[in-house]
Amino acid sequence: MKNFSAVLFDLDGTLIDSEYFYYSNWAPILFSSFGLAITFEDWIHEYAGHTLVRNVNYLNERYGFDTTEEYMWKATRANYAKSDMRAIELMPYAKEILIDLKNRDIHIGLVTSSYQTTVDTVLGHHGLLDYFEFFITREVVAQPKPNGEPYLRALEKLGLHKENVVAVEDTITGVTSAKAAGLQCIAVSKHETERHRLLAKSDILLRSMDELLPFVC
């Protein structure tokens, strides 16, 4: 597994260390609105890597709540605004790997379930937007991850055979999406709960982005 012409990166938990940010903003809402207390490990296991719609449906189906996407959208966005997404840090070695791939003339794309505003805010703050040739975000797909549509759209943008493209993800949701599009997928995660799930489905499982380059170039 190497000598790829393009690398497609997930965003949350892969390039940016955002999962605790999301957890710290969702947890107070779940507790104050529904009396549901969750730990960060619960967040990683049950919510990370999923869309707002899926998480709302999950809450309603598992716990019998009667909340809506509109309510959770407004509540979470209000908390995000107060918390300031620009405070989200990059994952270790994320910038270094982007610089290295760019210097090697490897195509770089972003495939995320987040919205373009999040991409612009966080990656813009870190000065990384120009490293990407394109962004496949939540608003441009009908079926988000784990459906294969986001990665199929990325392949259309690239105009390359799927054998020449590799995806980099951190959750089983993202890996499932990449594999559904026929791509090889490298998973990068330090969370043991997620690593257990990733082991069976990803082609390579790493702990840190600094291990990535030998499997790509």
Side-chain angles (χ1 to χ4, degrees), residues 137-162:
T137 54
R138 176 63 186 90
E139 57 264 66
V140 303
V141 298
Q143 298 293 327
K145 301 174 186 178
N147 192 280
E149 182 188 345
Y151 279 105
L152 290 172
R153 284 184 173 266
L155 285 171
E156 291 174 1
K157 289 272 190 183
L158 287 167
L160 297 171
H161 293 294
K162 60 186 178 183

Side-chain angles (χ1 to χ4, degrees), residues 12-21 40-41 44-45 48 89-93 168-172 186-199 202 204-211:
D12 295 295
T14 301
L15 290 177
I16 63 174
D17 195 5
S18 55
E19 292 305 347
Y20 194 82
F21 174 88
F40 182 57
E41 187 68 14
I44 293 297
H45 185 69
E89 298 292 335
L90 297 176
M91 293 297 286
Y93 306 103
V168 181
E169 283 278 357
D170 73 303
T171 66
I172 194 64
I186 299 172
V188 183
S189 179
K190 62 183 179 182
H191 299 292
E192 292 304 325
T193 299
E194 195 64 27
R195 284 178 63 83
H196 180 73
R197 294 190 286 188
L198 291 167
L199 186 60
S202 60
I204 298 290
L205 178 57
L206 308 176
R207 284 191 178 274
S208 174
M209 198 72 76
D210 67 327
E211 303 171 3

Side-chain angles (χ1 to χ4, degrees), residues 89-177:
E89 298 292 335
L90 297 176
M91 293 297 286
Y93 306 103
K95 184 172 185 177
E96 289 81 354
I97 196 70
L98 292 174
I99 292 172
D100 208 330
L101 293 174
K102 192 80 167 180
N103 288 339
R104 294 169 186 261
D105 293 323
I106 293 175
H107 301 281
I108 305 172
L110 189 76
V111 181
T112 177
S113 293
S114 288
Y115 288 83
Q116 188 67 49
T117 52
T118 299
V119 173
D120 292 341
T121 298
V122 183
L123 293 186
H125 174 70
H126 290 287
L128 297 182
L129 291 171
D130 290 342
Y131 285 89
F132 298 90
E133 295 183 15
F134 58 86
F135 306 99
I136 304 297
T137 54
R138 176 63 186 90
E139 57 264 66
V140 303
V141 298
Q143 298 293 327
K145 301 174 186 178
N147 192 280
E149 182 188 345
Y151 279 105
L152 290 172
R153 284 184 173 266
L155 285 171
E156 291 174 1
K157 289 272 190 183
L158 287 167
L160 297 171
H161 293 294
K162 60 186 178 183
E163 293 80 8
N164 297 322
V165 182
V166 65
V168 181
E169 283 278 357
D170 73 303
T171 66
I172 194 64
T173 303
V175 173
T176 300
S177 176

